[in-house]
Amino acid sequence: MKSTIVLSLLLFVSFNIYSQDDVEKRVTDLLSKMTLKEKIGQMAQYHLWSKGGEDNIKDDIKKGLVGSLLNAGDLKTKNDLQKIAVEESRLGIPLIYGRDVIHGYRTMFPIPLGQAASWNPALVQEAARIAAVEASSEGIKWTFAPMIDNARDPRWGRIAESCGEDVYLASKLAASMVKGFQGENLSDAESIAACAKHYVGYGAAEGGRDYNTTYIPEQLLREIYLPPFKSAVDAGVATLMSAFNDINGIPASGNDFTLNKVLRGEWNFDGFVVSDWSSVTEMITHGYAKDEYEAAMKSANAGVDMEMVSLSYADNLEKLIQDGLVSEEVVNTAAGNILRIKFRCGLFENPYTKEPKVSKLLTENHLAAAKQLAEQSIVMLKNNTVLPLSKKVKTIAVFGPLADSPEDQMGTWSPDGKKENTQTPLTSLKKSLEGIAEIKYLDVLENSRTIDKSKFEDAVKLAELSDVILLFLGEEAILSGEAHSRAFLNLPGAQDDLFETLSHAGKPIVVVIMAGRPLTFPNISERADAILYAWHPGTMGGPAIADILVGLTSPSGKLPVTFPRTVGQIPIYYSHKNTGRPPSENMLGIPIGTPLDPKGFVSNYLDVDFTPAYPFGYGLSYTKFEYSNLQMFPNEVKNKSSFSVSFDLNNIGDYEATEVVQLYVRDLYASVTRPVKELKRFERVTLKPGDKKTILFQLSTDDLSFINNEMLRVTEPGEFKLWVGGDSDCGLGTSFFITE
Ligand code: GLC
């Protein structure tokens, strides 16, 4: 009997699966023992050079004045500092270690914008899981990811970290990433707490300039910017991060409406909110707080539980409570939220990380998953049959600053990736084509910004001796990500000139672009024989690109963001409103009429088409897919009920390939104007040549809801359209009615 009790106790403790009630009891019990200083201590996140360095940090940890550390060094450092917290502080409350594990830890996956191009939530979830396994093996228990700011402006460098422009796709991927990082149980040694960021509206920065002002009407906030965070909360995300930007004049890190009213009041979120790096004290710079005393007051009262790096809470909360400007209840709630997540993470039972006997980094499975996700993220924008490379191709000329740039290939936020692990396109092509074709490489441009054209002539000579030119262009990683907004979207440096020069060599040119955002490349779009958009594809980007080039796999990626023809079109996104004067097909081209008859008084430009270079959801494969037999049942749908949509997909080409089938709807008239299209379903479907599959989507009238002028989510009866196809310009459509 005794052994059974011991065994079950061991099992219980080892899995430390505490019920929600147990956790609540433990939180309440611990809070009751804590001093005010210790509670405020939980609300402070240091880094290794806070307070002048490690000795002072150790001192504060011992005094129970530190709740978390970010970027806390190697495993030994983390365990040593944890030992002070657990074994030398009065109550032994463990630290939680945070880190930006955004798209992989040592095995780097494509940047999130690239992952979004896979439209594969299951694989994105697996990638997050692998990142968690690798990061947790080095003592990290909390990642500042997923970044789920909807981004409609490619000038904004952080679009690279986002899931793109669409609320439905971003919401699906947000849930996948949270589940991947957190696993079945947060206390699992290989699970890490996720952090949905940056709450909220950061991607709406005016001018695409990072950290800039945002004006977001509540309707838009609730319709476009909040839903991915709601999806993350519904998926059980442990934490959120408040953003740098101000929203309609109130900084996100002091915003009672978004934090207390929506996140806590409407969504019942019970994890904790961490500020962004010094975003609490930056409210002084915003002009929203006179000093750190007032900044601390406004953030704490708004519901920011933990202050990242700045120390206004540590320095002012006690006095704010004495002065009656912050209630002790606010501190109890904040510290309680933090303790709740620490309990759920199992940190009290397992505060230390053992060095794994066998490294969990860069395993074969991890690399295989990274290659698969890189393959599925690559979007083929053009192909005039030059791809896949024919077996007759015996000499391949390779140029371009991204052909062999392991650092750049990993993209932004790859602090734990190592360039020596990156397999570049050049090395992969040499390996996969050994004995089949000769690769002739010339390092023509040192990096993406180089303007030195001195090697162009040699490049042409080499190209003339080849059967095909592979040109790897794009952005260095340092041109992408935080604080890296660009006013122009063209290829930096002399890359366009290099393409122009090589286009006179009289050989087919395949252009592969690696970048952290949509770029504009009109000359290449018009004159290249094929274009692959590979984003920054990570550790295994080379093998993924090589396999697609030689035809071992067909490209299947679809754009998660609209590609403008020119930066002047921004903002340009597919789910736009119709306006009262929409342009029509006959306005394509440069519709300049006479001053008296400008060929239509409509919403367009005189100097560029109103359409994008490439629409949201667009991407080609090596085969051809045909959509047919679209049916709805019923096609008169009672409000508050469900309906089905089915259609046939046919692979009428010569290659096995995967199509991301997409379903869009439009509410033709409502109490507020509605977008001309909204993505409501998608699915990756793989078919062999000649195969056909009937796809069935189940929807409900709730899927057609929107936020009305009373800020209520409603579905209004009326006429709707729906389309299915391979991108947001798709054409197989039907009309239907929602009745009372
Ligand atoms: C940065 C970023 C945020 C990141 C944090 C910690 O400024 O805005 O996304 O998680 O600081 O590195």
Side-chain angles (χ1 to χ4, degrees):
M1 178 60 178
K2 192 164 176 270
S3 57
T4 319
I5 293 172
V6 169
L7 180 64
S8 52
L9 196 62
L10 272 177
L11 274 175
F12 184 84
V13 171
S14 58
F15 284 101
N16 49 66
I17 297 173
Y18 286 100
S19 74
Q20 183 57 12
D21 290 349
D22 296 332
V23 166
E24 290 316 306
K25 279 197 202 91
R26 299 181 75 192
V27 169
T28 308
D29 175 49
L30 183 49
L31 276 175
S32 67
K33 296 172 184 153
M34 293 167 77
T35 65
L36 178 59
K37 271 191 191 315
E38 288 165 335
K39 292 173 195 170
I40 293 169
Q42 287 302 305
M43 299 166 73
Q45 181 181 59
Y46 284 19
H47 50 56
L48 281 186
W49 55 97
S50 292
K51 298 292 238 0
E54 265 190 60
D55 292 343
N56 297 336
I57 293 171
K58 288 175 180 172
D59 223 19
D60 283 1
I61 293 171
K62 192 170 181 175
K63 292 175 191 160
L65 302 182
V66 187
S68 168
L69 279 146
L70 82 159
N71 306 335
D74 61 15
L75 183 56
K76 182 179 179 321
T77 307
K78 292 191 190 83
N79 280 332
D80 289 349
L81 293 174
Q82 187 71 295
K83 196 166 163 43
I84 297 171
V86 171
E87 299 175 23
E88 296 179 35
S89 77
R90 190 176 75 85
L91 291 169
I93 300 171
L95 301 162
I96 184 165
Y97 288 118
R99 179 89 169 158
D100 292 284
V101 185
I102 309 292
H103 55 105
Y105 182 72
R106 184 60 41 77
T107 302
M108 293 311 299
F109 290 88
I111 54 172
L113 190 60
Q115 294 190 31
S118 74
W119 295 54
N120 189 339
L123 192 52
V124 166
Q125 180 169 329
E126 186 185 343
R129 186 71 205 151
I130 289 168
V133 168
E134 294 195 353
S136 57
S137 76
E138 301 215 332
I140 291 158
K141 192 61 188 179
W142 178 26
T143 177
F144 304 126
M147 189 276 214
I148 46 181
D149 303 306
N150 266 6
R152 292 172 161 176
D153 190 334
R155 293 172 296 182
W156 188 47
R158 301 197 79 163
I159 194 170
E161 296 172 64
S162 79
C163 296
E165 73 183 49
D166 182 69
V167 59
Y168 182 78
L169 179 59
S171 298
K172 292 293 177 194
L173 296 179
S176 297
M177 290 175 179
V178 168
K179 290 173 192 160
F181 287 129
Q182 299 190 169
E184 288 304 313
N185 190 320
L186 255 185
S187 62
D188 180 302
E190 295 186 326
S191 292
I192 59 178
C195 180
K197 73 182 185 182
H198 305 78
Y199 189 70
V200 62
Y202 186 27
E206 279 189 341
R209 276 199 316 282
D210 207 354
Y211 317 115
N212 205 3
T213 307
T214 70
Y215 279 99
I216 310 174
E218 187 180 339
Q219 205 167 28
L220 187 64
L221 197 66
R222 288 183 178 278
E223 200 137 276
I224 298 294
Y225 294 100
L226 285 170
F229 289 92
K230 177 67 167 56
S231 176
V233 168
D234 291 346
V237 72
T239 69
L240 271 78
M241 182 185 293
S242 64
F244 286 120
N245 55 291
D246 65 337
I247 310 166
N248 311 330
I250 312 291
S253 296
N255 198 303
D256 180 70
F257 171 73
T258 55
L259 291 163
N260 279 332
K261 184 176 185 308
V262 176
L263 181 62
R264 302 288 180 184
E266 294 178 18
W267 299 352
N268 300 314
F269 174 64
D270 71 352
F272 73 83
V273 175
V274 64
S275 76
D276 203 336
W277 191 293
S278 297
S279 63
V280 170
T281 49
E282 281 180 12
M283 294 199 296
I284 301 164
T285 315
H286 270 289
Y288 186 64
K290 183 161 61 67
D291 52 25
E292 296 208 359
Y293 178 84
E294 190 177 27
M297 178 190 77
K298 290 192 167 181
S299 270
N301 284 333
V304 173
D305 301 307
M306 184 184 280
E307 181 178 14
M308 180 188 284
V309 172
S310 54
L311 295 167
S312 70
Y313 281 11
D315 298 341
N316 296 283
L317 275 178
E318 251 185 297
K319 183 157 183 344
L320 283 161
I321 291 169
Q322 283 152 17
D323 298 346
L325 293 173
V326 173
S327 74
E328 184 150 1
E329 192 42 39
V330 162
V331 168
N332 287 339
T333 302
N337 292 335
I338 293 162
L339 293 175
R340 182 174 302 113
I341 296 305
K342 288 187 175 183
F343 278 118
R344 287 181 184 163
C345 285
L347 282 169
F348 286 82
E349 290 72 29
N350 301 299
Y352 306 110
T353 301
K354 292 186 193 65
E355 183 89 38
K357 291 189 181 53
V358 177
S359 170
K360 296 188 177 180
L361 311 180
L362 296 165
T363 67
E364 215 174 295
N365 291 343
H366 295 181
L367 293 173
K371 179 178 174 243
Q372 188 185 19
L373 189 45
E375 276 173 3
Q376 294 189 14
S377 71
I378 292 166
V379 181
M380 184 155 76
L381 298 176
K382 181 179 182 183
N383 183 25
N384 67 1
T385 73
V386 69
L387 292 181
L389 295 176
S390 143
K391 299 221 180 329
K392 295 192 192 96
V393 166
K394 293 301 172 202
T395 311
I396 300 173
V398 176
F399 309 107
L402 276 299
D404 194 32
S405 181
E407 191 79 43
D408 294 320
Q409 191 171 304
M410 291 192 285
T412 186
W413 280 124
S414 48
D416 298 300
K418 294 188 184 307
K419 64 180 185 180
E420 56 267 28
N421 302 130
T422 302
Q423 297 181 40
T424 67
L426 180 64
T427 53
S428 305
L429 284 163
K430 282 180 178 170
K431 201 164 135 194
S432 63
L433 292 176
E434 193 173 359
I436 300 170
E438 186 189 358
I439 306 289
K440 291 178 174 294
Y441 172 66
L442 184 63
D443 183 6
V444 184
L445 293 171
E446 189 194 349
N447 62 50
S448 70
R449 287 160 294 137
T450 305
I451 54 173
D452 170 14
K453 303 181 188 178
S454 57
K455 294 183 184 174
F456 279 25
E457 264 181 49
D458 293 346
V460 171
K461 286 193 188 103
L462 195 145
E464 285 165 344
L465 300 174
S466 69
D467 301 321
V468 69
I469 300 166
L470 301 184
L471 192 49
F472 294 85
L473 306 175
E475 285 180 324
E476 289 153 276
I478 56 161
L479 297 178
S480 160
E482 182 171 356
H484 290 129
S485 298
R486 292 181 60 201
F488 297 96
L489 297 176
N490 54 315
L491 285 161
Q495 297 183 77
D496 263 325
D497 303 323
L498 177 58
F499 170 79
E500 181 60 31
T501 304
L502 289 170
S503 69
H504 298 294
K507 301 290 179 180
I509 300 187
V510 176
V511 176
V512 181
I513 296 176
M514 292 189 211
R517 71 182 88 214
L519 296 177
T520 52
F521 38 93
N523 189 28
I524 289 172
S525 291
E526 197 182 317
R527 300 175 51 218
D529 296 284
I531 303 168
L532 294 177
Y533 216 84
W535 316 99
H536 284 129
T539 303
M540 296 299 282
I545 292 168
D547 280 8
I548 284 178
L549 289 171
V550 302
L552 284 179
T553 183
S554 165
S556 61
K558 297 282 186 177
L559 296 180
V561 62
T562 301
F563 275 49
R565 293 177 185 280
T566 165
V567 72
Q569 283 183 305
I570 292 169
I572 180 169
Y573 48 93
Y574 87 93
S575 57
H576 59 80
K577 301 294 186 74
N578 202 32
T579 78
R581 295 190 174 193
S584 60
E585 294 302 303
N586 69 13
M587 299 305 289
L588 287 172
I590 306 300
I592 297 176
T594 64
L596 297 177
D597 165 24
K599 286 185 87 176
F601 291 84
V602 293
S603 177
N604 72 311
Y605 298 103
L606 288 181
D607 46 6
V608 74
D609 276 357
F610 63 87
T611 56
Y614 302 100
F616 173 83
Y618 177 81
L620 302 174
S621 74
Y622 287 150
T623 196
K624 193 161 170 34
F625 289 103
E626 186 181 71
Y627 289 72
S628 61
N629 193 19
L630 174 61
Q631 296 185 36
M632 254 193 82
F633 22 96
N635 72 355
E636 194 158 289
V637 186
K638 264 182 81 51
N639 210 348
K640 302 255 173 287
S641 69
S642 304
F643 59 98
S644 307
V645 177
S646 77
F647 59 95
D648 293 341
L649 183 73
N650 216 327
N651 179 344
I652 58 173
D654 306 326
Y655 283 89
E656 175 172 348
T658 300
E659 170 78 328
V660 179
V661 298
Q662 301 154 49
L663 183 148
Y664 296 87
V665 299
R666 180 182 179 182
D667 186 346
L668 288 175
Y669 46 82
S671 56
V672 291
T673 54
R674 304 296 312 133
V676 295
K677 267 189 186 140
E678 294 177 276
L679 179 72
K680 292 298 178 186
R681 290 292 183 277
F682 63 84
E683 184 182 326
R684 286 178 65 89
V685 182
T686 302
L687 293 177
K688 292 187 185 333
D691 278 6
K692 178 167 87 170
K693 182 176 181 184
T694 298
I695 315 295
L696 177 67
F697 285 135
Q698 303 286 5
L699 293 98
S700 88
T701 52
D702 290 347
D703 288 305
L704 308 176
S705 66
F706 62 91
I707 302 295
N708 70 9
N709 253 347
E710 288 68 51
M711 298 309 133
L712 299 173
R713 182 163 281 283
V714 296
T715 300
E716 293 178 356
E719 186 178 358
F720 291 75
K721 281 186 179 294
L722 75 78
W723 299 266
V724 291
D727 64 52
S728 56
D729 268 356
C730 54
L732 185 58
T734 185
S735 298
F736 63 102
F737 284 85
I738 304 286
T739 58
E740 291 293 348

